[in-house]
Amino acid sequence: MSTAIRNLTHADFRQRISRVDKRFHRLGEAAYAKDATVPRPFGSTLTGFAWIYVVVAVSTNRELIASSLRQGSLPAEYHDWIFNGLAAMIVASFVMLALHVFRYFVKSGGKRTNSGGVLVGAIGALVLFYAPSDVWSTGFGMLDGHSQNALMTAGAAIEGTFPGLAVQDLAFVSSAGN
């Protein structure tokens, strides 16, 4: 009995690869590629904080923006364009934030770290923006005497630099009055 020898074609090779390693057959070299994204958690956190703080400030201060536009020299027919652009920015920001949530749970390595930093910064901005002023005064009251004295000394130094500024009279509120 003789055996027939035939040359393997590329289709035979691909079929054999699909039996041995289905992931490599489907994705090619990208199946085992390492994530080369550089993790920058601090920069991502600052970016997420600034980004969401601006978005929330714009979305909650519509009347302030409208009065500023009325006082400016821009013709009234362009005001709608500006508000539509701001609305598009807000919607795009929430879509991007949802993509960062998805990326945090699906990806790994630097992509996950960077998205986590953006999400932590966003949460920090929301907490800072919506925290009532009672929380800040209660937090100051919870400090020990040394910490309160250090803050009051720093406040006195600022008052010396900026006359007429009373640090003890500062209240942490948003521009919406929260």
Side-chain angles (χ1 to χ4, degrees):
M1 181 159 161
S2 68
T3 58
I5 298 176
R6 68 179 185 96
N7 289 337
L8 290 176
T9 63
H10 187 67
D12 296 331
F13 176 74
R14 295 285 297 166
Q15 185 179 18
R16 177 177 253 177
I17 291 293
S18 72
R19 284 194 310 260
V20 173
D21 191 356
K22 293 194 180 302
R23 185 174 178 194
F24 187 84
H25 174 71
R26 215 173 3 126
L27 301 173
E29 291 180 15
Y32 299 105
K34 295 286 183 183
D35 182 17
T37 304
V38 179
R40 293 187 173 97
F42 186 70
S44 298
T45 302
L46 289 178
T47 301
F49 179 85
W51 169 36
I52 296 302
Y53 194 85
V54 166
V55 167
V56 171
V58 165
S59 65
T60 57
N61 293 326
R62 187 184 194 296
E63 292 303 319
L64 179 68
I65 295 170
S67 68
S68 177
L69 285 173
R70 281 192 297 271
Q71 292 173 3
S73 62
L74 189 66
E77 62 263 11
Y78 296 123
H79 293 188
D80 289 337
W81 284 86
I82 291 189
F83 281 116
N84 290 340
L86 291 174
M89 178 197 72
I90 292 168
V91 169
S93 293
F94 285 119
V95 168
M96 291 301 295
L97 198 60
L99 288 175
H100 276 288
V101 169
F102 178 75
R103 186 173 151 180
Y104 179 76
F105 287 114
V106 172
K107 297 292 183 179
S108 63
K111 291 178 180 159
R112 179 185 175 124
T113 303
N114 292 341
S115 288
V118 168
L119 295 174
V120 166
I123 291 169
L126 290 172
V127 166
L128 182 66
F129 197 88
Y130 288 113
S133 60
D134 295 340
V135 171
W136 297 105
S137 58
T138 304
F140 184 73
M142 292 173 64
L143 295 175
D144 63 345
H146 297 294
S147 300
Q148 287 181 353
N149 288 338
L151 286 175
M152 294 308 279
T153 304
I158 290 175
E159 287 175 9
T161 306
F162 301 105
L165 177 67
V167 176
Q168 66 270 14
D169 294 336
L170 288 178
F172 292 99
V173 296
S174 72
S175 48
N178 296 336

